[in-house]
């Protein structure tokens, strides 16, 4: 009986030692960088963090993540023999935490460089987006000057919100500026008369008005409020991955791939605001 107990104990001990060895290997691999997202090799998974901002990144009717930014990222991964993974950032305010923890390799999501230049290691800017004002077609509002005394809604923690805060002349026109959770809610409020105007990114406004509200009742004012440059954000100091992605993007611009991808979203103004590298 004692021999059987000793044999069972020895088997259990051996199992723990094997698991421990595997765990230790994984730990040391993590510490030396071989299993982190900074590693670049043929088996790499390229994890792209994004938030759902159509037409840059969103889920189609088949449940697949598509969009201009994600299509670019997929092509970059393909050319580098990386496995592509789109990772939704559920809480946008946590994006930097996820990046610094190596849960994602980059933020590629209609992400503005302006004002964040020192926060990340950036690609070159590839897109010059505008902030625009959306109003009801029958509102009688035809220019920015007509917004005096009106109520504005804007998505909180967005580039559009920052654009308003940094433009005192425009900000002072409105009697109220209300922050809202998302652009779709703001447009619904606009349609129901809760507000008089909404500010958002030009491609996003085009997409939502065309696809979700079917062009009904809304128009975009001709005067654009401000311009901002989009880039791909990497963990501060991750020059190696940034350089590889940048090199691939440069090749894609040169051979016309970026323009071809942009054409898939031309109805939303993507082609108009590309910055050719």
């Amino acid at each position: 009986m004692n021999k059987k107990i000793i044999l069972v104990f020895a088997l259990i001990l051996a199992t723990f030692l094997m698991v421990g060895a595997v765990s230790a290997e994984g730990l040391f691999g993590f510490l030396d960088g071989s299993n982190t997202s900074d590693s670049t090799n043929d088996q790499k998974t390229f994890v792209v963090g994004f938030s759902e901002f159509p037409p840059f990144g969103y889920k189609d009717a088949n449940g697949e993540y598509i969009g201009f930014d994600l299509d670019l990222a997929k092509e970059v991964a393909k050319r580098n023999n990386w496995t592509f993974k789109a990772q939704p950032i559920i809480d946008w305010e946590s994006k930097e935490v996820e990046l610094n923890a190596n849960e994602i390799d980059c933020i590629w999501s209609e992400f503005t460089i302006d004002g964040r230049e020192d926060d990340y290691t950036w690609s070159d800017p590839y897109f010059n987006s505008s902030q625009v004002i959306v109003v009801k077609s029958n509102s009688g509002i035809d220019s920015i000057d007509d917004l005096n005394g009106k109520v504005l809604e804007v998505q909180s923690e967005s580039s559009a919100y920052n654009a308003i805060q940094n433009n005192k002349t425009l900000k002072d026109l409105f009697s109220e500026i209300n922050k809202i959770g998302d652009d779709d809610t703001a447009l619904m409020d606009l349609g129901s008369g809760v507000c008089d105007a909404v500010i958002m990114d030009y491609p996003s406004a085009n997409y939502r008005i065309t696809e979700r509200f079917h062009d009904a009742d809304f128009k975009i004012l001709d005067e654009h409020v401000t311009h901002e440059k989009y880039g791909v954000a990497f963990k501060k100091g991750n020059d190696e991955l940034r350089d590889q992605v940048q090199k691939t993007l440069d090749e894609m611009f040169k051979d016309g791939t970026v323009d071809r991808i942009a054409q898939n979203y031309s109805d939303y103004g993507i082609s108009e605001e590309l910055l050719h590298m």
Side-chain angles (χ1 to χ4, degrees):
M1 180 67 68
N2 289 338
K3 289 183 178 179
K4 290 183 178 180
I5 293 174
I6 292 171
L7 178 59
V8 170
F9 179 77
L11 289 172
I12 293 173
L13 180 60
T15 300
F16 275 111
L17 289 173
M18 289 176 64
V19 172
V22 171
S23 299
E25 182 182 357
L27 174 61
F28 289 120
F30 175 81
L31 291 175
D32 71 15
S34 63
N35 287 333
T36 70
S37 58
D38 291 344
S39 171
T40 54
N41 56 62
D42 288 348
Q43 304 303 316
K44 177 182 170 66
T45 298
F46 185 43
V47 185
V48 173
F50 78 103
S51 188
E52 292 200 33
F53 290 123
F56 292 90
Y58 59 103
K59 193 177 285 187
D60 67 10
N62 298 318
E64 181 183 356
Y65 287 120
I66 63 169
F68 177 62
D69 280 348
L70 294 185
D71 288 356
L72 291 179
K74 287 176 190 176
E75 181 64 20
V76 167
K78 179 181 176 182
R79 294 188 181 204
N80 285 283
N81 296 317
W82 299 335
T83 300
F84 173 79
K85 180 181 178 182
Q87 180 67 50
I89 299 173
I90 305 302
D91 180 1
W92 187 241
E93 295 184 13
S94 74
K95 57 189 178 296
E96 192 167 352
V97 174
E98 293 188 33
L99 187 64
N100 289 334
N102 296 318
E103 294 176 11
I104 54 177
D105 290 313
C106 66
I107 302 168
W108 201 330
S109 184
E110 193 184 4
F111 200 31
T112 304
I113 297 174
D114 308 71
R116 300 187 179 103
E117 289 87 349
D118 298 327
D119 297 339
Y120 304 91
T121 291
W122 288 97
S123 72
D124 292 341
Y126 63 91
F127 196 84
N128 185 33
S129 184
S130 306
Q131 300 292 335
V132 294
I133 302 288
V134 182
V135 298
K136 291 187 74 171
S137 299
N138 61 358
S139 64
I141 301 173
D142 297 313
S143 70
I144 287 179
D145 290 339
D146 296 330
L147 296 169
N148 190 38
K150 303 298 184 183
V151 176
L152 177 75
E153 284 194 356
V154 57
Q155 182 179 346
S156 60
E157 306 303 326
S158 66
S159 299
Y161 177 75
N162 293 335
I164 284 290
Q165 295 303 310
N166 294 329
N167 189 331
K168 187 177 186 304
T169 301
L170 181 62
K171 182 179 178 181
D172 289 348
L173 279 177
F174 298 99
S175 61
E176 290 181 42
I177 298 176
N178 298 321
K179 294 191 288 184
I180 203 74
D182 60 82
D183 288 333
D184 285 341
T185 301
L187 287 174
M188 286 189 283
D189 286 349
L190 178 61
S192 63
V194 173
C195 64
D196 302 298
V198 174
I199 182 171
M200 63 177 67
D201 293 344
Y202 178 58
S204 182
N206 273 316
Y207 175 86
R208 284 177 164 82
I209 291 172
T210 302
E211 300 295 336
R212 296 188 177 171
F213 294 88
H214 308 293
D215 297 314
D217 301 328
F218 298 132
K219 66 180 180 181
I220 298 172
L221 297 185
D222 291 336
E223 301 163 85
H224 291 197
V225 175
T226 188
H227 298 274
E228 58 192 17
K229 295 179 178 66
Y230 292 165
V232 186
F234 300 86
K235 182 179 177 180
K236 191 79 171 176
N238 192 359
D239 296 334
E240 182 180 357
L241 182 58
R242 186 275 312 276
D243 291 347
Q244 184 60 37
V245 170
Q246 185 63 61
K247 177 177 178 290
T248 310
L249 263 179
D250 290 343
E251 293 168 355
M252 289 164 56
F253 268 99
K254 187 175 180 179
D255 66 24
T257 300
V258 173
D259 286 312
R260 287 193 293 274
I261 292 174
Q263 282 300 313
N264 295 331
Y265 304 95
S266 59
D267 289 346
Y268 317 125
I270 292 292
S271 298
E272 301 170 28
E273 302 200 320
L274 272 179
L275 286 172
H276 285 82
M277 296 178 176

